[in-house]
Amino acid sequence: MNLLIKSATIIDPAGPFHKQNLDILIEKGIIKKISNSIKNINNFKEISLENLHISQGWFDSSVCFGEPGFEERETIENGLNTAAKSGFTAVAVNPNTNPIADNKSAIEFIKNKANGFATALYPIGSLTKNAKSEDLAELYDMQNSGAIAFGDYNKPISNANLLKIALLYAQNFDALVLSFPQDNSIAGTGLANENINSTKLGLKGIPTLAEELQVARDLFLLEYTGGKLHIPTISTKKSVKLIKNAKKKGLNVTCSVAAHHLVLSDDELKEFDTKSKVMPPLRTSKDIKALLKGLKDGVIDIITSDHNPIDVEHKKVEFNNAKFGTIGLESLFGALNKVVELETLINCLTTNPRNRFNIENSSIKEGEKANITLFNPDSEYEFKLNNILSTSKNSIFLNKKLNGKVYGVISNNKLVL
């Protein structure tokens, strides 16, 4: 693939050309030249787009595709094409398939299905067999087959001793353990954040305590065992404080936040719209403020879409019966671009998650593979059904104003616009 990118503003905080507006020549998928003005002497395909900005290719650390088992929600093929058009050159895919991805064969099936796309797929293996929080899965075998981390998606490890053993065992092969932050004995059958809104609406509440107890427990275990822990999709003010203190102690812990938890509060529930039913639940404006500060201060390392397609039969039902989850690949950038400072946002989508999940990290400079996301940070629009590329349409941002348009990606020697 040979390309000439014209007049692009480079957002690459760790690279040599940060905030410079330059031309970029790409030959056979490699960045050959970066300069003020490059003449197209070889008649390469030229990319010249309005207010074009580029960065390292974005990596989403928490994505669900249905395949195998729930292809009606999202196939791997459509999911990867959606990710590419949404600016992601790599995604980590959760193991909540049917059957659960808890063994070597399941990981290899998912990897093989993802060959040949612009967006690279990295499987996350289930930490426990069948995600039942009873016995550890075949972690070492799965890692050898391509799994980059281990966790039970949106299911807490209720047995503290099991997580202790997992953290100890995983150190033998330097594996990353994920632990979903919720204590189900406190959360029970809750549907929404326990607060004035859930009380007014008559919805069973999930208190912030359910998250914070689990985070505190997991950090105690990590302090005891050592190892590497990642806490996905935190949502409360106190969780930020707990992780901040753990990092000060020198514990090897990181955490992520889902895009919707940085923008939307539990006020969204007033319409009983099941698109707003997510896990963890939408919290309060005070929590949003604390999460944004946690990002700015570097306590929160990673931003994810937490993309979770749900078919219409399990979403367009009564609030009590609807499944938790929202799609988010297509809307992440536009939802956060004016809420989170651009450099912080790019870091939390590139360097930070790639380093934590041990994925190849490339800067925008001559001689590097072209792994690039193309976007316009100043494009305002209303997010409508026709902006959704996923098979499922359960977007929490539907009909909301977004700011920032993704043009596509250059990755794996392919251009997707």
Side-chain angles (χ1 to χ4, degrees), residues 37-97:
S37 182
I38 301 172
K39 288 184 176 166
N40 195 357
I41 53 174
N42 291 317
N43 202 26
F44 288 174
K45 181 179 172 69
E46 212 166 282
I47 297 175
S48 182
L49 299 162
E50 185 187 352
N51 192 30
L52 177 60
H53 286 57
I54 66 169
S55 73
Q56 279 187 64
W58 302 343
F59 171 52
D60 195 329
S61 64
S62 179
V63 168
C64 303
F65 296 150
E67 192 173 7
F70 302 114
E71 285 84 354
E72 72 281 3
R73 296 178 188 174
E74 191 86 280
T75 61
I76 288 170
E77 180 182 359
N78 192 68
L80 289 174
N81 287 332
T82 297
K85 288 171 185 173
S86 305
F88 296 91
T89 61
V91 291
V93 173
N94 292 305
N96 56 329
T97 48

Side-chain angles (χ1 to χ4, degrees), residues 127-128 134-137 139 157 159-173 175 177 217 221-222 224-227:
L127 185 69
T128 67
E134 291 170 0
D135 302 293
L136 281 188
L139 308 189
I157 306 298
N159 182 336
N161 190 53
L162 188 65
L163 183 60
K164 183 196 83 175
I165 292 165
L167 284 164
L168 287 167
Y169 174 57
Q171 289 174 60
N172 293 308
F173 42 98
V177 172
R217 183 205 76 168
L221 287 169
L222 181 66
Y224 180 79
T225 59

Side-chain angles (χ1 to χ4, degrees), residues 301-332:
D301 310 86
I302 296 168
I303 295 170
T304 172
S305 67
D306 203 28
H307 180 82
N308 189 5
I310 307 291
D311 53 281
V312 68
E313 286 84 357
H314 290 98
K315 257 310 186 186
K316 211 162 186 180
V317 290
E318 299 87 352
F319 199 90
N320 284 16
N321 297 329
K323 284 192 178 292
F324 292 97
T326 176
I327 56 171
L329 286 167
E330 303 98 310
S331 53
L332 182 143

Side-chain angles (χ1 to χ4, degrees), residues 157-314:
I157 306 298
S158 52
N159 182 336
N161 190 53
L162 188 65
L163 183 60
K164 183 196 83 175
I165 292 165
L167 284 164
L168 287 167
Y169 174 57
Q171 289 174 60
N172 293 308
F173 42 98
D174 196 33
L176 180 63
V177 172
L178 278 57
S179 178
F180 181 68
Q182 182 166 289
D183 183 328
N184 276 349
S185 65
I186 299 285
T189 55
L191 301 168
N193 182 47
E194 186 179 88
N195 191 36
I196 190 163
N197 282 329
S198 62
T199 307
K200 279 180 180 173
L201 298 167
L203 296 171
K204 282 186 183 176
I206 301 174
T208 58
L209 179 67
E211 176 170 310
E212 293 145 7
L213 267 182
Q214 193 83 348
V215 169
R217 183 205 76 168
D218 291 355
L219 292 172
F220 270 118
L221 287 169
L222 181 66
E223 191 171 8
Y224 180 79
T225 59
K228 295 196 302 190
L229 178 67
H230 178 69
I231 302 173
T233 59
I234 65 167
S235 67
T236 80
K237 182 179 178 179
K238 199 159 193 177
S239 291
V240 177
K241 190 177 176 184
L242 287 164
I243 291 163
K244 183 179 183 177
N245 291 338
K247 286 187 170 189
K248 275 184 185 170
K249 282 184 185 176
L251 297 187
N252 192 345
V253 62
T254 51
C255 63
S256 68
V257 62
H260 42 273
H261 284 120
L262 293 168
V263 184
L264 305 174
S265 74
D266 58 358
D267 288 343
E268 296 292 319
L269 299 170
K270 288 172 183 173
E271 303 298 321
F272 285 100
D273 190 340
T274 59
K275 290 193 290 295
S276 303
K277 187 179 179 182
V278 289
M279 179 62 67
L282 296 176
R283 304 290 187 185
T284 67
S285 53
K286 281 183 183 174
D287 293 302
I288 292 173
K289 196 175 173 184
L291 292 167
L292 288 168
K293 188 174 187 306
L295 270 178
K296 194 175 178 183
D297 296 345
V299 178
I300 299 172
D301 310 86
I302 296 168
I303 295 170
T304 172
S305 67
D306 203 28
H307 180 82
N308 189 5
I310 307 291
D311 53 281
V312 68
E313 286 84 357
H314 290 98

